[in-house]
Amino acid sequence: MALYLDAAKILQNNSSNGSLKSIVYKSNLKSSKPAVYALISECSKLDTLLKEVIDRAGILEQEPKLSPLLALFLVHDLLFAKDGIATSVGHPLRKAIDRHKSRLRSELTRARVRRRCGSVLALKNTIVKENAPPASRKNHVRWARVNTIRSTVEEQLRTTFMEYRIVDTVGEVSAAQPGDKILKVDDNIPSLLAFPPALDLTKTAAYQSGQLILQDKASCFPAYLLLGNSTPSGDVIDACAAPGNKTTHLAALMQSNLITIFACEQDATRSETLQAMVQRAGATNVVLLPRQDFLALKSDDSRKWYDGPRGLAATSSSKESNQYYLT
């Protein structure tokens, strides 16, 4: 029950500034902070549906020990969590929910039928779309970059997205209904694809093998604009490389040029994220400089940096072959 009590405490006592994630991780909690953050995040997406089900079932009037927030979290896990409510069956608040579980599930079914959704997943997608503010509904799509180190756009269209229909505009993608299998090949960034916002690509084999990388369109411009139509003759320094989306994009664009990308990241935790991203993408032309402050590098035109077994080291190199681009 600590999970639900901690989640309720976060929302009841939240008077500080900052993102939900930062507030959760700075709080003194008894339960897992990632679990608390995930629970609050998921409930916030479906709060209107959960309140509708709770109100129509009338459980708050019949169970005075249940607060509205606790009811929201407990009913969410009863209806949607894979393992159900994460507390013992003998806990009084668990019993308060279990006494009404048949009615709650019936109200969920009625909510689905009212919205003409064929499945619970379709209902969830509909609610998320209903709750989205107007500004986020317009041209809101999910972007994914085909990692050309491991695959090609043509291969992905032939395999992962063989059942998808290619449309002409991003507007068609953003207006897609839950379950629509459509995509748009971007007009500006090669290898970038746009999908409906509710689509979950993380379960695809292409994503898990590093052939697909989730990356917003704006994040794809730096590497593409840096390279342009030219053929760089020198190496590249990425001064603040984590989490690695731009770094691996640049690596994919430059993989045939025999150019090395030196990726600096000062923060230790973010360095680990960067390393995992580079390995997953198969970017062998990236040399990692973990826990390295770019501003602390002591290099000149006569030295080339690399990440050796003892940390940062340098070897001689001619000025002509050692040009750096900063990202």
Side-chain angles (χ1 to χ4, degrees):
M1 187 54 66
L3 171 65
Y4 307 106
L5 295 174
D6 281 340
K9 182 176 73 172
I10 289 291
L11 296 186
Q12 289 169 343
N13 301 332
N14 180 19
S15 58
S16 58
N17 295 323
S19 66
L20 171 63
K21 189 171 186 178
S22 66
I23 293 170
V24 170
Y25 278 78
K26 290 177 182 177
S27 299
N28 183 20
L29 305 177
K30 294 181 179 179
S31 50
S32 164
K33 292 179 180 179
V36 171
Y37 174 70
L39 177 62
I40 297 175
S41 298
E42 289 303 309
C43 286
S44 68
K45 298 175 185 177
L46 303 172
D47 60 346
T48 56
L49 173 64
L50 292 169
K51 290 175 183 176
E52 177 184 325
V53 169
I54 291 169
D55 289 345
R56 287 178 178 269
I59 64 172
L60 292 178
E61 292 79 5
Q62 301 177 54
E63 302 291 346
K65 292 183 179 180
L66 276 177
S67 69
L69 274 178
L70 283 175
L72 195 78
F73 296 136
L74 290 164
V75 170
H76 172 275
D77 278 8
L78 171 72
L79 299 178
F80 301 116
K82 181 180 178 181
D83 298 322
I85 298 175
T87 190
S88 64
V89 294
H91 194 283
L93 295 180
R94 168 70 180 268
K95 288 182 176 180
I97 295 295
D98 284 345
R99 279 193 287 269
H100 306 277
K101 61 183 179 182
S102 296
R103 179 67 186 275
L104 289 165
R105 286 169 177 155
S106 296
E107 290 299 339
L108 177 66
T109 300
R110 293 188 180 98
R112 178 175 61 78
V113 172
R114 280 194 295 273
R115 291 170 175 82
R116 299 181 180 179
C117 296
S119 65
V120 173
L121 177 60
L123 173 63
K124 291 171 69 174
N125 291 337
T126 298
I127 295 298
V128 170
K129 194 168 184 178
E130 286 178 0
N131 290 345
S136 69
R137 292 176 191 164
K138 185 178 180 181
N139 295 332
H140 175 63
V141 298
R142 183 178 296 277
W143 295 97
R145 174 172 59 84
V146 176
N147 176 19
T148 54
I149 297 174
R150 296 195 181 277
S151 184
T152 64
V153 172
E154 292 74 18
E155 181 184 13
Q156 290 305 309
L157 294 179
R158 190 174 62 251
T159 55
T160 307
F161 306 112
M162 62 181 299
E163 297 180 356
Y164 282 65
R165 177 171 58 90
I166 300 175
V167 297
D168 296 326
T169 66
V170 172
E172 293 176 78
V173 177
S174 65
Q177 297 300 311
D180 285 353
K181 292 186 176 182
I182 62 174
L183 64 84
K184 169 75 171 75
V185 180
D186 189 58
D187 296 325
N188 307 115
I189 306 294
S191 75
L192 189 63
L193 307 176
F195 298 93
L199 181 64
D200 183 7
L201 294 170
T202 61
K203 295 181 174 61
T204 64
Y207 172 82
Q208 294 172 359
S209 63
Q211 295 177 353
L212 274 182
I213 293 175
L214 300 183
Q215 185 171 359
D216 285 340
K217 182 173 181 176
S219 176
C220 292
F221 276 112
Y224 186 62
L225 293 177
L226 175 69
L227 184 63
N229 295 321
S230 62
T231 303
S233 58
D235 295 327
V236 176
I237 293 178
D238 191 337
C240 187
N245 283 345
K246 298 182 186 71
T247 310
T248 55
H249 187 197
L250 191 63
L253 292 173
M254 304 176 75
Q255 60 180 313
S256 62
N257 294 328
L258 300 178
I259 287 175
T260 301
I261 302 167
F262 297 91
C264 298
E265 178 51 54
Q266 182 177 10
D267 183 79
T269 301
R270 287 170 60 83
S271 292
E272 294 177 0
T273 302
L274 173 64
Q275 181 178 12
M277 182 66 182
V278 169
Q279 290 176 346
R280 180 168 160 267
T284 57
N285 54 342
V286 175
V287 173
L288 297 173
L289 304 181
R291 298 178 296 281
Q292 174 61 53
D293 181 0
F294 165 71
L295 297 177
L297 286 174
K298 299 183 183 302
S299 176
D300 54 36
D301 287 342
S302 65
R303 305 212 294 175
K304 177 184 286 186
W305 294 91
Y306 71 97
D307 188 23
R310 296 182 180 177
L312 198 64
T315 59
S316 297
S317 177
S318 66
K319 292 184 179 181
E320 289 76 11
S321 64
N322 197 36
Q323 301 171 10
Y324 293 111
Y325 296 82
L326 303 183
T327 65

